[in-house]
Amino acid sequence: MQQLIFGLANGSIYALMALAIGMVSSTTGIVNFAHASVVMMGAMVSWWMMVICGLSYLPALFVAIAVSIVLNIVMYETCVKKLGDLQNNVGWIITLFGASIILDNIARMMFGTEPQAFPYLFGGKMVTVFGANIMLHELMMITIAVVIGVVYQTIIKRTRFGRAVRAVAFRPSTSELMGIKSEKIILSCFAMAGAVAAVGGALIAPITFASYTMTYSIGLKGFAAAVLGGFGNTKGAFIGGFILGLIEAFICIFVPAGIKDSISFVIMIIVIIFLPEGIMSAKFFNKNLSAAEKV
Amino acid sequence: MLKVENLTIAYGKTEVVHHVSFDVKKGSVVTIAGANGAGKSTILNTIVGLHRSKEGRILYKGEDITRTAPDKLVSKGIRLVPEGRQIFAEHTVEENMLLGAYVEKDAKKIRDRMDQMYDRFPRIKERRRQIAGTLSGGEQQMLAIARALMTAPDLLILDEPSLGLAPIIVKDVFKLLTEIKQTGVTILLVEQMVDNALSISDYAYVLETGKIVFSGTRDEVKNSDDIVKAYLGNV
């Protein structure tokens, strides 16, 4: 039970990262390789605010969210927009990787190389569920992630803004003909992804410790989850994230802990080989879907 | 209504439209005819702000709208029904209509307009909950036109509305355009298969490799044997 909740809790953060990566890739077609660094920055900034500036958890988180939103917008303006036509230009692969490295090194200079203890929500209070001791923080991780997922899905499905996001994702230039400013929609998606990144970073930091290496230790799992679930698919992001988290939690029983981290990537590779568009593309999930004609 | 003066358009260094001028009078239907690659779509995309012109200017109701952003032009009453319909295939039909009214903020106005459109397009109303990609080609064309009419435009521009449609459906589309014209909307059409387009047009221009080579009233075009033979097939 403890392992199960632990797996789901970590998985929910992977899901949040996959979700944010999907927000950006669905409207622009690019994969934000610097996303993991923004997650790390989210964690580091909220740690800094709490420990150095003495803020409590929530205000610190809001500062981190604001910083991450700004980071993502700056990244879009400098690393993506300047390149022009993204269909013909894959320069963003390099510029975003570069941004990631810059952010990591800034974090290392500002916050040091030492992993820092990060306070839990509710002061690390435990509750007993079915005889197992479970940290309230872990339950909150899952709850917050699911709430964000549901809210995002509702916005996308039901609101004027959501319709516009899907329209821009599907046909950017036709969306312009409707009077939608594609640019503004894309920028909003980058901003949302930044906010979600900060939340994810701040939630998982107590478990992993806050450190500039989070980019690789945690961030890459977000990409694995995104690939598992299929890019830009909300449900898929959560399925991918949870699967990844659970496998990691239980795999230790079978393999030495040292190769735990490589397992997720082995799974990712297997999924890519058999289901290149992610788990959600399996026939099992698409039984009743009529083939929509794409013109 | 619309006046295009000396318009030159280039993709990178390649000039594709050279010093084109034409005029669309209020309440009229004007056709620009021409073969594939003549630059017809490029001209339309430039008028609605998707592409930048290199030279020349575009006047709408006497106002210079050269290089105005597409969303502003939609608000001013210019709508383009793009080539190949370009409906949002993964949205529902109703969502397509709502996207058509994106610049309109007043919910009641949108509702009223939608009801009007549903009256005029009963087929679209029947299918409003369906995913738009499941509509037939003709229905998609009707949806694309209805979507553009959601903001009650003064100038409706259509890029090859007959493309890929069965002849009987094409007849329906042009019948609809005649009705739209009667409501006072000015129409600018671009077509390759011009027999239908000419039958509803007041004036026509023939475009060849980025230049206007002929212009005249419908009858003048029909009576010009060379033009008919070269561009228009059997009229």
Side-chain angles (χ1 to χ4, degrees):
Chain A
M1 189 65 190
Q2 258 157 318
Q3 286 297 311
L4 180 74
I5 297 295
F6 183 70
L8 285 176
N10 277 348
S12 61
I13 302 306
Y14 302 154
L16 279 188
M17 285 189 271
L19 182 68
I21 292 166
M23 284 175 192
V24 166
S25 81
S26 66
T27 44
T28 54
I30 70 163
V31 177
N32 185 357
F33 288 112
H35 186 74
S37 295
V38 179
V39 172
M40 178 274 297
M41 278 305 232
M44 293 312 288
V45 169
S46 41
W47 170 79
W48 178 272
M49 284 297 137
M50 271 189 283
V51 177
I52 310 294
C53 302
L55 292 180
S56 57
Y57 199 102
L58 271 183
L61 180 60
F62 282 123
V63 174
I65 288 176
V67 169
S68 298
I69 289 176
V70 171
L71 275 180
N72 251 10
I73 289 177
V74 169
M75 220 139 61
Y76 171 72
E77 295 287 343
T78 54
C79 300
V80 182
K81 191 178 151 191
K82 287 271 175 271
L83 296 172
D85 187 354
L86 297 170
Q87 249 90 54
N88 298 326
N89 189 332
V90 286
W92 53 267
I93 295 176
I94 292 302
T95 52
L96 288 171
F97 255 124
S100 172
I101 292 169
I102 292 170
L103 283 180
D104 288 358
N105 284 295
I106 289 175
R108 196 172 64 169
M109 287 194 302
M110 279 177 70
F111 308 115
T113 50
E114 201 68 21
Q116 305 289 350
F118 196 101
Y120 286 101
L121 272 175
F122 309 109
K125 201 170 164 237
M126 309 287 263
V127 287
T128 312
V129 183
F130 301 119
N133 274 330
I134 289 159
M135 204 175 282
L136 214 48
H137 181 87
E138 286 172 0
L139 293 177
M140 276 314 280
M141 284 164 78
I142 302 170
T143 316
I144 292 172
V146 170
V147 167
I148 289 177
V150 170
V151 168
Y152 175 70
Q153 189 65 14
T154 314
I155 290 174
I156 288 300
K157 283 274 175 241
R158 302 252 173 270
T159 65
R160 175 172 178 269
F161 171 72
R163 272 196 300 277
V165 169
R166 281 181 289 138
V168 172
F170 189 67
R171 288 185 191 285
S173 65
T174 312
S175 306
E176 299 262 344
L177 289 179
M178 302 297 118
I180 299 168
K181 291 184 187 121
S182 300
E183 174 88 25
K184 233 169 103 187
I185 299 287
I186 290 170
L187 210 55
S188 321
C189 286
F190 265 84
M192 282 196 302
V196 172
V199 173
L203 281 175
I204 202 164
I207 294 171
T208 61
F209 287 12
S211 152
Y212 77 99
T213 56
M214 278 176 83
T215 302
Y216 295 100
S217 60
I218 305 302
L220 284 183
K221 308 277 177 59
F223 289 100
V227 171
L228 283 180
F231 276 97
N233 183 328
T234 311
K235 233 185 278 168
F238 273 85
I239 289 176
F242 282 144
I243 289 178
L244 203 59
L246 288 175
I247 289 172
E248 278 188 357
F250 288 102
I251 204 79
C252 305
I253 304 168
F254 308 105
V255 300
I259 61 168
K260 188 189 92 174
D261 280 349
S262 43
I263 294 294
S264 51
F265 294 100
V266 171
I267 295 165
M268 187 178 100
I269 291 166
I270 293 171
V271 169
I272 291 173
I273 292 171
F274 291 104
L275 293 167
E277 281 168 50
I279 291 173
M280 292 301 285
S281 68
K283 278 208 184 84
F284 176 76
F285 292 104
N286 298 311
K287 267 184 297 204
N288 303 320
L289 211 71
S290 61
E293 183 198 353
K294 267 199 187 185
V295 191
Chain B
M1 177 66 94
L2 183 78
K3 207 172 164 72
V4 171
E5 289 174 353
N6 203 20
L7 191 67
T8 298
I9 311 165
Y11 286 108
K13 288 210 165 92
T14 325
E15 233 178 64
V16 289
V17 172
H18 322 280
H19 308 288
V20 163
S21 300
F22 61 92
D23 209 346
V24 180
K25 292 213 166 53
K26 190 172 187 310
S28 65
V29 176
V30 171
T31 298
I32 300 178
N36 225 346
K40 305 182 300 287
S41 299
T42 307
I43 292 176
L44 296 192
N45 285 338
T46 307
I47 294 173
V48 297
L50 286 183
H51 196 82
R52 290 195 159 208
S53 59
K54 198 176 152 199
E55 233 182 278
R57 41 179 215 157
I58 304 164
L59 300 167
Y60 171 70
K61 293 180 180 170
E63 181 190 354
D64 192 339
I65 56 156
T66 324
R67 302 208 179 99
T68 306
D71 60 297
K72 297 250 166 50
L73 296 174
V74 169
S75 305
K76 285 181 194 295
I78 304 179
R79 288 302 293 250
L80 170 68
V81 179
E83 186 176 1
R85 310 182 282 274
Q86 298 194 10
I87 55 155
F88 297 103
E90 290 167 1
H91 290 62
T92 65
V93 170
E94 185 147 302
E95 282 179 325
N96 268 272
M97 301 287 281
L98 288 170
L99 281 166
Y102 188 81
V103 294
E104 179 61 66
K105 297 257 161 48
D106 185 343
K108 194 183 167 293
K109 261 193 191 160
I110 295 175
R111 204 62 253 174
D112 289 351
R113 195 70 193 157
M114 184 113 78
D115 289 339
Q116 282 173 32
M117 286 301 130
Y118 282 159
D119 284 346
R120 188 183 275 165
F121 302 93
R123 293 281 284 172
I124 304 264
K125 186 181 184 183
E126 262 170 51
R127 293 169 186 269
R128 65 186 184 279
R129 307 244 174 272
Q130 278 186 26
I131 300 296
T134 61
L135 299 185
S136 72
E139 288 164 344
Q140 288 188 8
Q141 185 63 64
M142 294 300 180
L143 175 59
I145 294 173
R147 182 179 66 178
L149 292 176
M150 280 299 284
T151 44
D154 299 323
L155 174 63
L156 185 66
I157 306 176
L158 298 104
D159 196 347
E160 297 217 29
S162 70
L163 189 75
L165 298 181
I168 186 156
I169 312 267
V170 173
K171 285 243 152 55
D172 285 349
V173 170
F174 280 97
K175 196 170 142 251
L176 171 71
L177 293 181
T178 317
E179 288 166 23
I180 294 172
K181 181 197 173 184
Q182 276 154 11
T183 63
V185 179
T186 309
I187 297 177
L188 172 61
L189 267 176
V190 142
E191 271 291 350
Q192 272 190 72
M193 316 288 289
V194 283
D195 9 359
N196 282 301
L198 265 190
S199 67
I200 66 162
S201 296
D202 302 301
Y203 207 82
Y205 295 86
V206 176
L207 195 70
E208 186 189 325
T209 54
K211 283 194 189 101
I212 286 183
V213 293
F214 185 89
S215 68
T217 62
R218 171 180 48 191
D219 296 329
E220 281 168 0
V221 175
K222 279 188 177 169
N223 293 336
S224 160
D225 286 345
D226 292 350
I227 295 296
V228 169
K229 265 196 212 119
Y231 300 105
L232 312 181
N234 302 314
V235 178

